[in-house]
């Protein structure tokens, strides 16, 4: 039997106590997630995070740190994901930028607004990454080697 984890990136973008989230359709429901997605061939983890954030929210961001590296097995399908989560600051929104299929749109929520809706989290990693960010977890971007 072949087992292979899925490599994903996510970005926690904070502005004045609000976090940039993606409202999207997943598994037949509307959920919140960080801008996130799979690493593609021939791109770095940082490039993937910037690309996914733009594709899912229309926002250009600047990566500032690595928050953490998470191993998560989804109970819905048994797939294991290795998530590299970045911290970023917002630079500019591209108002007419087309968003990926399945994306309803970007939402700015406080930590408490998100925490009050656990049934809408894509996974438990959504709040965990924000909580790690709030607690000050930061690692230099140089931690990652291309």
């Amino acid at each position: 039997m072949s087992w292979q984890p899925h490599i994903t990136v996510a970005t926690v973008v904070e502005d004045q106590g609000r976090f940039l989230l993606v409202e999207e359709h997943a598994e037949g429901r509307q959920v919140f997630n960080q801008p996130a997605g799979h690493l593609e061939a021939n791109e770095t983890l940082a490039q993937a995070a910037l690309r996914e954030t733009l594709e899912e929210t229309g926002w250009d961001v600047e990566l500032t740190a690595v928050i953490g590296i998470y191993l998560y097995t989804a109970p819905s399908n048994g797939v294991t994901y290795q998530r590299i989560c970045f911290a970023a600051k917002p630079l500019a929104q591209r108002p007419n930028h087309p968003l990926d299929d399945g994306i309803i749109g970007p939402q700015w929520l406080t930590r408490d607004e998100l925490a009050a809706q656990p049934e809408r989290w894509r996974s438990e990693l959504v709040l965990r990454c924000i909580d790690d960010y709030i607690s000050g977890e930061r690692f230099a971007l140089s931690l990652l080697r291309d």
Side-chain angles (χ1 to χ4, degrees):
M1 181 170 132
S2 176
W3 176 83
Q4 184 174 350
H6 294 246
I7 306 300
T8 62
V9 295
T11 308
V12 172
V13 182
E14 187 261 341
D15 186 34
Q16 299 179 17
R18 293 179 114 40
F19 294 91
L20 178 61
L21 296 163
V22 176
E23 187 174 15
E24 62 185 341
H25 293 285
E27 300 171 4
R29 54 192 190 107
Q30 292 181 2
V31 297
F32 291 119
N33 197 7
Q34 274 89 29
H38 289 83
L39 178 68
E40 292 183 357
N42 301 313
E43 73 180 347
T44 67
L45 293 165
Q47 289 168 339
L50 293 171
R51 176 185 52 76
E52 288 290 350
T53 302
L54 179 61
E55 289 176 353
E56 294 188 351
T57 69
W59 275 88
D60 288 305
V61 300
E62 179 184 334
L63 302 179
T64 59
V66 175
I67 296 171
I69 300 171
Y70 304 82
L71 191 63
Y72 175 75
T73 301
S76 62
N77 60 13
V79 173
T80 298
Y81 298 90
Q82 179 90 58
R83 175 189 255 210
I84 297 83
C85 188
F86 292 88
K89 65 180 182 179
L91 297 177
Q93 185 178 26
R94 299 186 197 184
N96 297 319
H97 189 79
L99 304 179
D100 281 351
D101 288 341
I103 302 295
I104 298 166
Q107 298 288 330
W108 289 92
L109 299 177
T110 65
R111 187 252 182 230
D112 291 342
E113 289 169 336
L114 180 64
Q117 304 176 67
E119 71 284 355
R120 299 223 30 223
W121 303 343
R122 176 85 185 249
S123 78
E124 63 197 42
L125 290 179
V126 177
L127 191 63
R128 182 170 180 200
C129 289
I130 288 175
D131 283 345
D132 287 348
Y133 172 86
I134 290 170
S135 75
E137 289 290 336
R138 305 284 192 293
F139 302 92
L141 292 171
S142 62
L143 170 74
L144 304 175
R145 308 282 192 230
D146 299 333

